[in-house]
Amino acid sequence: MAKTGDEVDETREDVSPDEIIEELGGCGRYQIRMSVTVHLLKTIMCFTFMGMIFFSATPNWWCLGNVGYGNSSTCLHSDNNKSSPNCAFKSCNGVNGTHCYKYEYDTQVISTIVNEFDLVCDQDFIPSTISTIQIGGTLVGNIMAGQIADMFGRKPPFFTALVIVSAFNLLGFFSTSWKIFAVARFFAGLGGGFFMTTQYCLLSEFSLAKWRVWIVGFPSWPIQTCLFALLSWLLHDWRYIQLMTAIIALPCLLTWFIIPESFRWYIAHDKPKKAEVIIRSVARYNRHESFDAQKILSKVETKNYQKYSPLDLFKTKQLVKVTLLSSLNWMALGLVSYGLSFGIQSLSGNIYLNLFLFSLVGIPSKGLALWLQNRSGRRNTSIGCYLTIVTGGSIVGIVQSFNVQYKDELTNAFALFAYIGVTTAWGPVQTMTIELYPTVIRNIGFGTLSVAGRIGAMIGPQLVYLNTYVPGLLYYSCAAISALCTVGLIFLPETKDGYLSDKIQHTNTVPQRLSDDVTDDKKHESVSDAKSDVKIKTSSEPVQIFVLGNVKAGET
């Protein structure tokens, strides 16, 4: 017998996106294919962002005075990179105190914008400034993409990013001045901001809580950086590295036919018919065609469609706390990541090998973080990562300040130790961000916090530049802000095993995980019976059971 309108509406209230994903097989073949595809596409972004480490590096150089100068071979073969009678090593004046009329560079190891445009002496600030400009573009991209993705869907800005990055890497290849190159890097950064803002939201909205840590925390970035270090070593020229990145990006546009729009976004924006099409395709690929796709129609379309903005991140007291403390976390990650990454330029040894080793250690550490997030929770894992940065950063700062014995070896070792911490921290912090915000403002939240991260990242290269004048400044700054984050994380809730909420709840609590003393069967039962007034016993805090558009609060 057909259901009445009231009966259908009553059923509609009980269907949540997480329940749909569970009935589709949880993490099935479709989710695996989609995750692998997105992580492969991230290779383009990795090459684009990490490229500036090499592009802005300063090769060994010599100053030729306006008298008594020799040919370039005299400079390039100076004993142990020291000054010779005709060449002053890394000095802005000639050996006789005369003004430099020409610079000679050792481009056998690496060729960068520094030797291409003579960015030394009174122009030595330009390379770090261009790095900051690129991150500024990323910041603008974060702001734009967060709003665009929540208004028009995750897919449009995601693929726009690939087009922008490819086009402006190509422009960078043809740059005839550092100013043109700076413009190219700004827009390449903007495209990267589009991609980084939407990728994890798109993937996480097709997955359950226990799989999100694998999706977000999989060490694709360090693996790709290792590959990038190898390819850069083979090319060792800043122009050809950009050309390689632009060419690789073009065939990636074909993945438009593999990656779908987020069905959660369709549900949250009252477009159940379009969501049903995607759900049916997921069901077919996961071989769960018996799934009743009509459940998706349980989301009632409303005429009062609401548009959201970054102001909604401060709509409740809990959202204010989450946004402010998360912003501190993201700013710290940006500052420490870019500070330590660009600091590789000044470490002793080969720049390609240093980047390779720094990235290589990130692979097992991220694997450990995946296990710890599900074992100890996102918050505790993040705290452990920040304490690692505090320890490593403090030691390097002291070593550089007092110029102790074995300075180079200790700097390399403990800078690497701190880098392990920040590489590991990205996963749990990003996972917490995704799980703390409801679907309707998740991408806005992710984009806004990415802006905070980019502000920190813009500061990072400048600290590297200032560290040459004030030894230890970079590492003391990394340790200090990480210590602040450790304290701030104590006031954020744990999100392990929680459901993603879809709409803003006007309550004084944020989405909480179910109590540890509740069995899996009871969890399932509590979600199934969410429309009734269920009360779940917890230790001390109220627990929210999230369904589509409704919330029931258990009480102690």
Side-chain angles (χ1 to χ4, degrees):
M1 186 174 69
K3 294 181 179 181
T4 66
D6 292 339
E7 290 175 331
V8 172
D9 286 342
E10 184 178 0
T11 304
R12 286 171 180 166
E13 290 183 338
D14 293 335
V15 179
S16 74
D18 281 308
E19 290 178 280
I20 294 172
I21 294 173
E22 284 178 345
E23 293 198 37
L24 287 172
C27 183
R29 294 166 66 240
Y30 192 94
Q31 284 86 350
I32 293 173
R33 182 188 72 172
M34 185 175 170
S35 297
V36 169
T37 302
V38 172
H39 278 284
L40 287 175
L41 293 179
K42 193 164 65 172
T43 303
I44 310 302
M45 305 303 153
C46 177
F47 286 13
T48 298
F49 284 108
M50 303 309 287
M52 278 305 298
I53 296 177
F54 293 136
F55 302 160
S56 62
T58 303
N60 287 332
W61 59 279
W62 294 263
C63 167
L64 297 180
N66 57 13
V67 293
Y69 46 83
N71 56 37
S72 61
S73 62
T74 304
C75 297
L76 296 180
H77 291 86
S78 294
D79 186 33
N80 294 323
N81 292 332
K82 299 293 179 62
S83 298
S84 70
N86 298 319
C87 306
F89 181 65
K90 291 188 176 180
S91 172
C92 294
N93 293 309
V95 290
N96 297 322
T98 57
H99 180 69
C100 290
Y101 91 101
K102 182 180 179 182
Y103 301 99
E104 292 292 342
Y105 302 90
D106 182 3
T107 57
Q108 296 176 356
V109 176
I110 188 171
S111 176
T112 72
I113 60 171
V114 174
N115 62 270
E116 185 79 17
F117 305 119
D118 281 338
L119 303 180
V120 293
C121 293
D122 57 347
Q123 297 195 95
D124 65 348
F125 67 93
I126 293 176
S128 62
T129 301
I130 294 177
S131 299
T132 297
I133 288 173
Q134 174 176 289
I135 303 167
T138 307
L139 186 152
V140 175
N142 292 147
I143 296 173
M144 294 174 61
Q147 193 68 35
I148 292 171
D150 279 322
M151 290 178 63
F152 304 106
R154 303 349 185 179
K155 193 172 178 178
F158 182 85
F159 281 94
T160 300
L162 296 176
V163 176
I164 293 174
V165 167
S166 179
F168 286 95
N169 269 292
L170 191 61
L171 176 62
F173 171 76
F174 290 108
S175 297
T176 56
S177 71
W178 68 262
K179 298 179 182 67
I180 295 176
F181 178 75
V183 171
R185 297 321 294 178
F186 174 85
F187 284 101
L190 185 142
F194 271 50
F195 185 93
M196 304 304 286
T197 301
T198 54
Q199 59 159 338
Y200 289 131
C201 287
L202 185 61
L203 290 177
S204 296
E205 289 171 2
F206 279 85
S207 64
L208 297 172
K210 66 178 180 180
W211 295 110
R212 285 180 213 129
V213 295
W214 291 92
I215 290 172
V216 175
F218 182 78
S220 56
W221 191 273
I223 293 172
Q224 292 154 358
T225 306
C226 287
L227 176 62
F228 177 71
L230 174 61
L231 294 174
S232 298
W233 172 70
L234 293 173
L235 295 173
H236 76 270
D237 187 283
W238 66 283
R239 291 189 185 273
Y240 291 110
I241 293 173
Q242 290 180 96
L243 181 62
M244 172 192 69
T245 305
I247 292 174
I248 294 175
L250 293 177
C252 294
L253 295 174
L254 296 175
T255 58
W256 173 274
F257 303 102
I258 297 177
I259 298 174
E261 182 56 83
S262 167
F263 81 91
R264 280 182 179 271
W265 182 85
Y266 281 136
I267 290 176
H269 288 74
D270 300 315
K271 298 180 179 180
K273 293 294 184 182
K274 291 184 177 180
E276 182 181 358
V277 172
I278 295 172
I279 288 174
R280 287 186 182 277
S281 66
V282 175
R284 285 194 301 269
Y285 201 84
N286 283 349
R287 297 169 182 170
H288 279 259
E289 296 188 53
S290 60
F291 170 70
D292 184 7
Q294 289 300 318
K295 285 187 177 181
I296 196 61
L297 298 178
S298 62
K299 177 64 179 71
V300 181
E301 289 196 58
T302 61
K303 295 181 180 179
N304 297 322
Y305 170 68
Q306 181 178 355
K307 293 184 178 181
Y308 296 90
S309 73
L311 294 177
D312 290 294
L313 301 178
F314 303 91
K315 202 164 190 177
T316 68
K317 289 182 179 179
Q318 284 297 330
L319 281 176
V320 169
K321 183 173 74 171
V322 166
T323 300
L324 293 179
L325 292 178
S326 297
S327 295
L328 176 63
N329 277 305
W330 279 75
M331 182 175 291
L333 290 178
L335 187 152
V336 177
S337 293
Y338 279 80
L340 296 182
S341 294
F342 281 85
I344 291 174
Q345 297 172 349
S346 60
L347 296 179
S348 60
N350 183 280
I351 186 172
Y352 302 110
L353 181 59
N354 285 341
L355 180 60
F356 180 85
L357 292 176
F358 268 59
S359 304
L360 187 64
V361 297
I363 299 173
S365 62
K366 274 186 169 286
L368 177 63
L370 293 176
W371 180 76
L372 287 174
Q373 285 183 70
N374 278 333
R375 179 79 175 182
S376 303
R378 286 62 154 141
R379 182 175 60 183
N380 291 338
T381 303
S382 300
I383 290 174
C385 293
Y386 282 123
L387 291 176
T388 302
I389 301 169
V390 171
T391 303
S394 299
I395 293 175
V396 176
I398 294 171
V399 167
Q400 291 194 347
S401 297
F402 296 98
N403 200 21
V404 301
Q405 189 178 12
Y406 305 114
K407 173 184 174 181
D408 290 343
E409 292 80 1
L410 289 172
T411 296
N412 285 14
F414 283 98
L416 180 62
F417 184 69
Y419 192 78
I420 291 173
V422 71
T423 302
T424 309
W426 277 107
V429 171
Q430 288 176 323
T431 304
M432 283 184 68
T433 300
I434 289 168
E435 294 176 337
L436 285 171
Y437 287 114
T439 300
V440 291
I441 59 169
R442 184 171 298 123
N443 235 81
I444 291 177
F446 204 89
T448 302
L449 296 183
S450 294
V451 168
R454 300 313 165 190
I455 292 174
M458 292 171 72
I459 299 172
Q462 300 306 315
L463 288 175
V464 174
Y465 174 69
L466 294 174
N467 198 71
T468 60
Y469 298 98
V470 185
L473 176 63
L474 166 65
Y475 298 96
Y476 285 135
S477 301
C478 292
I481 195 169
S482 298
L484 288 176
C485 289
T486 302
V487 176
L489 278 166
I490 297 173
F491 300 97
L492 284 177
E494 179 56 71
T495 60
K496 176 176 172 284
D497 297 329
Y499 283 95
L500 290 181
S501 60
D502 286 289
K503 292 192 176 183
I504 297 175
Q505 310 298 335
H506 295 277
T507 63
N508 291 326
T509 56
V510 294
Q512 300 285 327
R513 65 186 177 91
L514 292 171
S515 170
D516 291 336
D517 61 348
V518 181
T519 65
D520 290 338
D521 289 337
K522 289 182 180 179
K523 291 179 187 178
H524 180 73
E525 181 180 350
S526 65
V527 174
S528 306
D529 299 331
K531 66 177 182 176
S532 62
D533 293 330
V534 179
K535 293 184 179 181
I536 300 178
K537 195 160 188 171
T538 64
S539 55
S540 60
E541 297 181 351
V543 174
Q544 294 181 336
I545 304 171
F546 281 84
V547 295
L548 199 59
N550 293 323
V551 62
K552 302 282 184 179
E555 301 174 352
T556 56

